[in-house]
Amino acid sequence: MNKSELIKTLAEKNNLHVDEASLIVNTFFDSIKNSLVKGERVEIRGFGSFKVKDYGGYTGRNPKTGDVVDVHPKKLPFFRPGKELKEYVNK
Amino acid sequence: MSSKTLTKADIVDAIYEQMSRNRAEVKTHVESLLDIMKQSVKKDHSLLISGFGKFDAYDKKARKGRNPQTNQTIVLPPRKVVVFRLSRKFRSELNPQG
C-alpha cells in the first residue's frame, strides 16, 4: 500500500471526504517528520517509536578507486516497532 | 538534544487544529489510520509513504538460541519483523548540509 491508497482506504472506511483523509494522513506524517528533524523522540502507542541517532563523520575510502573521501556526520532515524504491531504481524 | 516526545495526543491536536471536527472524532480517525497501517504492513508486507519512508515486514527464519541464564538451548520460532527504511527526501531534510 502507498500513501494515496492509505488516504483512500481511510476515507472509505470512516466516511470522510478524500480532502479530509488526506489532511489527516499528511499531518500525521508531517508531525512525525518535524519532531524528528528537531531531534525529538516520537512515540505512537501500539505502533512504534522513532528516535534519531547521530553518527560522527569519518574518513572512508572509495572501495573501487581507493580514493580517500570524507564521510560527513549524519543523522538517521530509527524505528522500533511497538508490542502491538509485533504481535499483530505474527498473528 | 531535546527530551521532548511527540505522542499520539500531540498528533491528534495538530490535526484537530486544521479540521472542523471535534477532537474525539479526530482521535477515532487517527486510531483508524493506525489500524489500516498495521493491516497493510501485515497483508502487503510493505507500506510506502512517499517523502517519509517505507515500513517493511520480512520473515526471519527459525534459529537456535540459548537462555544465557540456564544455558539451555532452545529453538526460536520463525517470525516476521517490521523495519523502517528512510526515504531520500526525508534523509536530506534531516541532513541539510549534505
Side-chain angles (χ1 to χ4, degrees):
Chain A
M1 200 182 242
N2 60 29
K3 197 165 85 174
S4 52
E5 289 163 338
L6 189 62
I7 290 168
K8 209 173 142 243
T9 310
L10 181 71
E12 280 166 13
K13 204 177 152 202
N14 292 12
N15 250 323
L16 288 166
H17 192 275
V18 176
D19 290 348
E20 284 183 301
S22 157
L23 179 89
I24 293 172
V25 171
N26 284 317
T27 309
F28 182 87
F29 290 108
D30 286 347
S31 306
I32 296 177
K33 243 164 97 164
N34 289 339
S35 283
L36 292 174
V37 168
K38 280 190 272 176
E40 295 170 3
R41 234 177 70 86
V42 176
E43 192 179 311
I44 313 294
R45 272 291 146 83
F47 191 76
S49 61
F50 293 90
K51 205 169 95 180
V52 174
K53 280 190 196 166
D54 274 295
Y55 290 88
Y58 58 93
T59 312
R61 245 171 226 284
N62 179 337
K64 224 178 201 164
T65 62
D67 289 347
V68 175
V69 280
D70 277 323
V71 179
H72 298 293
K74 63 190 165 194
K75 287 182 177 159
L76 296 175
F78 272 85
F79 173 67
R80 237 188 116 216
K83 193 165 168 259
E84 230 183 89
L85 178 62
K86 273 194 221 165
E87 287 172 356
Y88 184 77
V89 293
N90 281 294
K91 224 169 29 189
Chain B
M1 188 170 281
S2 162
S3 59
K4 197 187 171 293
T5 300
L6 183 87
T7 61
K8 213 189 294 178
D10 298 319
I11 297 175
V12 170
D13 286 337
I15 297 167
Y16 170 63
E17 281 164 22
Q18 300 175 65
M19 262 182 120
S20 48
R21 300 251 182 193
N22 67 52
R23 199 181 174 281
E25 224 181 325
V26 173
K27 189 168 187 297
T28 309
H29 296 320
V30 170
E31 294 292 352
S32 171
L33 169 65
L34 286 166
D35 281 341
I36 299 166
M37 285 167 62
K38 277 191 267 189
Q39 281 163 22
S40 164
V41 171
K42 187 186 164 92
K43 220 176 58 205
D44 318 333
H45 292 188
S46 156
L47 171 65
L48 175 71
I49 308 297
S50 57
F52 186 78
K54 192 171 153 191
F55 296 95
D56 273 324
Y58 73 93
D59 289 300
K60 268 203 160 171
K61 287 191 200 122
R63 62 178 177 89
K64 284 203 180 101
R66 197 182 283 275
N67 181 336
Q69 225 158 55
T70 62
N71 247 352
Q72 214 171 17
T73 309
I74 45 167
V75 178
L76 297 169
R79 64 201 158 99
K80 286 198 173 71
V81 291
V82 181
V83 291
F84 173 68
R85 299 187 205 283
L86 177 72
S87 89
R88 275 174 192 278
K89 185 165 174 276
F90 189 10
R91 187 194 162 107
S92 63
E93 283 168 23
L94 275 168
N95 300 284
Q97 67 288 350

